[in-house]
Amino acid sequence: MNPTGLGIVHISLLPGFVCRTDQRVTDLSDIQQRLVAALVLSDRPLRRGDLAARLWPDAPPERAGARLRQTVWRLNQATAGGLLRASHTTITLTDHVEVDYRAAARLVAAVSGAVGAAGTAGAAAGPVGAAAAEDRLPQAWSLLRHPLLNDWDDDWLVPFQEKWRLQRVQTLERLAERLLQRRQHSAVLELADAATQADPLREGPRRIAVQSCLFVGEVADAHRRYRGYQELLSAELGVAPSGAIPQLLRQDRERQLALAAEF
């Protein structure tokens, strides 16, 4: 329990900033939101000078420090002191703060580890890894489908946004690959399409979706998806896809012809 009596404070950064205390949304100013986001994205307490320079990069250090002190005071007023733990040199979040981004990052690591174990540890470990991945799938989907602070364009935030985009795309692709092995077509397409939405030029999710379509006999959809990817790469980069997807389509065509020849 939070000693202030507010209970758990919930911070959301996916896809936008929301602060809730006792199930009520707490209105914070733009700069207060950015201060909290900077603390969330740091894996350790931030030095006051570093935090002030990040939030007010164009202000002299003395003025930035004064603005930081004022913002911290107002933020403590807005949250009854239940959000920040500050010393003379550093600021961090209290232990009573829950953050969707941090939960998502832990989930990425857990799911990736489970899927990786299933792919490398052999048959004995495979079902365990698959079960772990599938148990986390609903929670993973609800978190991984969102970008990080999508409507913010602060320079200091860009590396965090890019890192999160890559992490969630890779995790969605790994989950889709695992479920492809289990022939769960609708889930495969949902995950692969989410990865494609986050990174339209990435080939892995496109290949997985095409392969899943071929597994269930949706040949026309497989070809449609490949043509769309071809056109996108040509328009955006002036290049063609690798030979991986055409090989899948060719192998499926040869299989169909071989089956037809048997009758």
Side-chain angles (χ1 to χ4, degrees), residues 12-17 100 145-152:
S12 295
L13 304 186
L14 306 173
F17 188 97
D100 61 351
R145 65 192 180 98
H146 293 306
L148 172 64
L149 294 169
N150 192 44
D151 57 345
W152 291 14

Side-chain angles (χ1 to χ4, degrees), residues 11-214:
I11 302 295
S12 295
L13 304 186
L14 306 173
F17 188 97
V18 180
C19 176
R20 292 184 177 88
T21 55
D22 291 337
Q23 305 304 314
R24 296 189 300 272
V25 174
T26 300
D27 288 331
L28 301 180
S29 69
D30 287 347
I31 194 60
Q32 290 171 349
Q33 292 180 20
R34 280 158 172 77
L35 188 154
V36 173
L39 295 174
V40 166
L41 296 173
S42 176
D43 57 0
R44 59 186 182 277
L46 285 177
R47 295 183 63 84
R48 284 177 174 267
D50 295 338
L51 183 56
R54 179 177 298 180
L55 297 177
W56 295 277
D58 299 326
E62 297 80 5
R63 184 175 299 175
R67 290 178 177 175
L68 176 62
R69 289 191 295 273
Q70 184 180 58
T71 302
V72 168
W73 184 85
R74 289 179 175 174
L75 188 53
N76 281 331
Q77 292 294 109
T79 60
L83 191 57
L84 304 182
R85 184 169 67 245
S87 71
H88 291 299
T89 57
T90 64
I91 302 176
T92 189
L93 298 177
T94 68
D95 296 333
H96 306 282
V97 178
E98 293 184 349
V99 185
D100 61 351
Y101 173 78
R102 289 181 175 177
R106 291 192 297 269
L107 187 60
V108 164
V111 171
S112 298
V115 175
T120 61
V128 176
E134 289 174 13
D135 287 345
R136 294 181 175 92
L137 183 55
Q139 184 184 6
W141 168 240
S142 67
L143 292 171
L144 295 174
R145 65 192 180 98
H146 293 306
L148 172 64
L149 294 169
N150 192 44
D151 57 345
W152 291 14
D153 58 1
D154 304 54
D155 290 341
W156 65 267
L157 181 61
V158 172
F160 295 101
Q161 291 173 320
E162 284 300 305
K163 179 182 178 182
W164 173 242
R165 182 189 63 80
L166 181 60
Q167 285 180 328
R168 67 190 185 96
V169 167
Q170 289 175 336
T171 304
L172 287 165
E173 185 175 329
R174 287 169 180 161
L175 282 171
E177 186 79 63
R178 184 63 196 176
L179 295 181
L180 175 68
Q181 298 172 16
R182 302 175 70 83
R183 300 296 197 269
Q184 297 185 14
H185 178 62
S186 60
V188 169
L189 290 190
E190 189 171 22
L191 293 167
D193 287 346
T196 293
Q197 184 178 9
D199 189 350
L201 301 179
R202 189 179 179 92
E203 184 168 315
R206 306 273 188 168
R207 174 188 53 78
I208 293 168
V210 166
Q211 193 170 0
S212 188
C213 288
L214 295 176

